Amino acid sequence: MSSVVSLVNACLMASYEGRVPPVWIRRAVDEGLAGVGVFGTNLAPPDSGAAPNGTFHQDIAAPLRAVRPDVLIALDEEGGDVTRLDYHRGSPYPGNHALGAVDDTALTREVARAVGADLVDAGVNLCLGPCADVNSRPDNPIIGVRSFGADPARVARHTDAFVRGLQDNRVAATLKHFPGHGDTGTDSHTALPDVDRDLPALRDLDLPPFAAGIAAGAKAVMTGHIRLPHLAEPPATLSPRIVTGLLRGELGYDGVIVSDALEMAPVLDRWGFGGAAVLAWSAGVDLVLLGASGVEHVLPQVYEAVEAALKKGELTAERLEEAAARVTGLRTWATPAHARTRRPGIGLAAARRALVTVGEQPVGQTGPVHTVRLTSEANMAVGVAPWGLDRALAGLGMLASAADVDPGTDPADIALPSAGPLAVVVRDAVRDPWQRAALDALRARRPGLVTVDMGLEPAPGRLAPPLLLTRGAGLANAVAAAELLTGRTWPGALEEE
């Protein structure tokens, strides 16, 4: 079993509970565990008043690197709605939807370079991003603002730019979710989505951004837990035809293939951690990501499943050795040892360029602004990262009051200030009948209110003006909107706070 453990560890990424890495995972790293995935469950607010990246490095990265300097430390840092470094305040960078809408690839590369510099400061060397998915389905519940857009060519050129920007600072980029999660109506965290695409349609619509990212030198590609019935029955992560045939064969990719988290319900409920890991490695995956619940008690399940599969001939030692060699090459490449480059203030500058006004431009309100936020449930990729205008307006000294309204609340029961500027903050209101009804009712009571939508940009005419579209819910997006509402300028660079 000891030889099996060593071989499996070299191709495995586990996680742990709490903020500081416990003894067991430091021991596993010492025994050859390839990497550690960091999730929202690890990101309790730091106790100290130090900068977030500093405490992340001190509490999480430093203890792991003290055991082995080349260990992979990975997290989802996409900018905008999906952030882990800034999980408790919001990202200082706009996300893909905003960057794709601006459509300046030099700007996208600058933002990605700054994200990479922050990751290096935090001790992270593997970024589980960018999303290379083409958001071809507007009601997609899991991609949305995480995509650069609905046009494959636009998504491709910005995927290229983001990969280059991250890797300018020697942080490995991960293209996800192969072969494309943009045409799904189901969140793959909870159920297995079917994508009704045949191979020619995939080539036209979904594969161009992955091909562009591969050409840009992306060090990793993450497979998605999505099923393509026209190509294969198992989900992509577990399908040799998709992983080995399509990604390795047709696209010619020779880097590290990473699985999406095996803890996600449609995979875990059917195959379990051990069974899914065996199938993923057999399909051609190199680095298996267990997920936030892939903690100490899960490792023996994986070891035992692999040992049984090796005996039955369902998996070969040669396949694991091949995977381990690729992962070792990635660890060697991604060992931080260089100067970091970033342009201070690039996140807010990009968010300002992405901001859109519809109707009369609500610039320089006459006093502090009242906010009413119509809350909505975030998807699991976003988690509970804060969003809204409160922090941004307060930072400008222009927050009069703030109220959050729970989904389903009768609009007649929503308290509104009798006077003063009012912003009603929503996210993806056009997809939520309650938010739309509440907006209509509130506008009837306060005709001068401004709607600020922090979700996917709606089709023209779907929401009544005056309207601000931030194209994302990161802190940078919020500050850009707050500046426009108040006529004030944020002091300093968000990245340095």
Side-chain angles (χ1 to χ4, degrees):
M1 174 66 88
S2 60
S3 60
V4 170
V5 169
S6 298
L7 198 51
V8 169
N9 276 347
C11 317
L12 191 64
M13 180 168 285
S15 188
Y16 62 92
E17 296 173 335
R19 185 172 178 88
V20 177
V23 170
W24 75 264
I25 201 159
R26 286 184 276 129
R27 182 172 60 247
V29 169
D30 189 44
E31 293 172 352
L33 184 70
V36 177
V38 180
F39 296 87
T41 51
N42 302 116
L43 299 172
D47 295 329
S48 75
N53 290 356
T55 58
F56 188 104
H57 187 278
Q58 175 184 329
D59 295 344
I60 297 175
L64 295 170
R65 296 213 181 282
V67 177
R68 205 175 75 233
D70 68 346
V71 64
L72 293 172
I73 300 176
L75 46 70
D76 296 286
E77 197 62 37
E78 301 174 17
D81 293 41
V82 179
T83 179
R84 298 297 177 259
L85 290 183
D86 294 284
Y87 193 63
H88 295 285
R89 68 165 191 151
S91 176
Y93 307 100
N96 288 1
H97 178 47
L99 295 171
V102 174
D103 199 17
D104 178 345
T105 55
L107 178 69
T108 295
R109 184 166 182 171
E110 284 266 26
V111 169
R113 186 180 292 124
V115 171
D118 288 354
L119 291 171
V120 172
D121 286 345
V124 175
N125 54 1
L126 177 59
C127 180
L128 302 179
C131 278
D133 305 299
V134 178
N135 196 55
S136 53
R137 184 166 177 165
D139 64 347
N140 191 313
I142 188 63
I143 302 301
V145 295
R146 302 170 66 197
S147 168
F148 289 113
D151 173 48
R154 180 176 298 206
V155 177
R157 60 180 174 263
H158 287 277
T159 298
D160 172 292
F162 206 98
V163 166
R164 293 180 190 277
L166 277 177
Q167 296 187 173
D168 283 344
N169 275 318
R170 217 166 183 80
V171 172
T174 307
L175 308 175
K176 61 185 185 185
H177 308 80
F178 188 84
H181 207 318
D183 190 37
T184 60
T186 303
D187 182 349
S188 57
H189 290 84
T190 57
L192 188 61
D194 281 338
V195 177
D196 188 21
R197 294 257 210 270
D198 59 15
L199 189 53
L202 272 178
R203 288 173 177 147
D204 288 343
L205 299 172
D206 297 293
L207 296 185
F210 290 96
I214 289 169
K219 294 297 178 181
V221 175
M222 177 182 283
T223 56
H225 298 331
I226 52 179
R227 184 170 52 205
L228 294 98
H230 294 285
L231 273 71
E233 172 56 29
T237 299
L238 311 182
S239 167
R241 182 175 182 188
I242 292 173
V243 178
T244 301
L246 189 57
L247 182 51
R248 288 274 186 235
E250 182 166 326
L251 269 65
Y253 185 61
D254 194 38
V256 172
I257 299 177
V258 185
S259 76
D260 208 342
L262 298 191
E263 68 174 353
M264 292 161 67
V267 170
L268 185 62
D269 291 351
R270 179 170 176 182
W271 291 282
F273 280 111
V278 166
L279 289 172
W281 279 313
S282 180
V285 167
D286 300 308
L287 181 61
V288 164
L289 174 61
L290 296 176
S293 58
V295 294
E296 184 175 16
H297 73 276
V298 171
L299 297 186
Q301 298 175 32
V302 177
Y303 302 147
E304 290 165 10
V306 169
E307 186 172 40
L310 290 171
K311 289 178 180 177
K312 295 176 184 177
E314 297 169 347
L315 180 66
T316 67
E318 290 76 18
R319 168 77 269 274
L320 290 175
E321 289 165 356
E322 174 192 48
R326 285 200 183 94
V327 175
T328 299
L330 176 62
R331 293 204 323 262
T332 301
W333 181 90
T335 301
H338 70 292
R340 300 170 297 285
T341 59
R342 68 162 70 81
R343 178 152 69 90
I346 188 63
L348 183 52
R352 288 170 180 151
R353 289 181 61 183
L355 190 65
V356 172
T357 62
V358 179
E360 183 180 351
Q361 190 163 317
V363 177
Q365 300 287 330
T366 56
V369 179
H370 300 273
T371 68
V372 173
R373 186 178 69 132
L374 306 183
T375 62
S376 59
E377 184 176 348
N379 62 54
M380 292 182 68
V382 174
V384 295
W387 66 281
L389 295 186
D390 302 357
R391 180 186 179 96
L393 287 167
L396 294 171
M398 293 293 281
L399 179 65
S401 69
D404 284 346
V405 181
D406 292 331
T409 299
D410 187 331
D413 295 331
I414 300 175
L416 294 180
S418 58
L422 172 63
V424 178
V425 187
V426 297
R427 182 159 62 178
D428 292 322
V430 297
R431 302 197 317 195
D432 184 339
W434 169 75
Q435 285 189 64
R436 293 199 308 274
L439 271 174
D440 291 343
L442 297 179
R443 190 174 294 282
R445 292 164 57 189
R446 287 288 307 271
L449 69 81
V450 177
T451 300
V452 181
D453 194 326
M454 305 189 77
L456 197 67
E457 182 176 354
R462 296 295 303 277
L463 295 178
L467 174 64
L468 287 185
L469 304 176
T470 63
R471 293 166 162 161
L475 178 59
N477 304 102
V479 170
E483 288 181 330
L484 188 66
L485 284 171
T486 64
R488 296 195 175 188
T489 301
W490 190 266
L494 291 175
E495 305 94 313
E496 298 173 355
E497 295 184 7

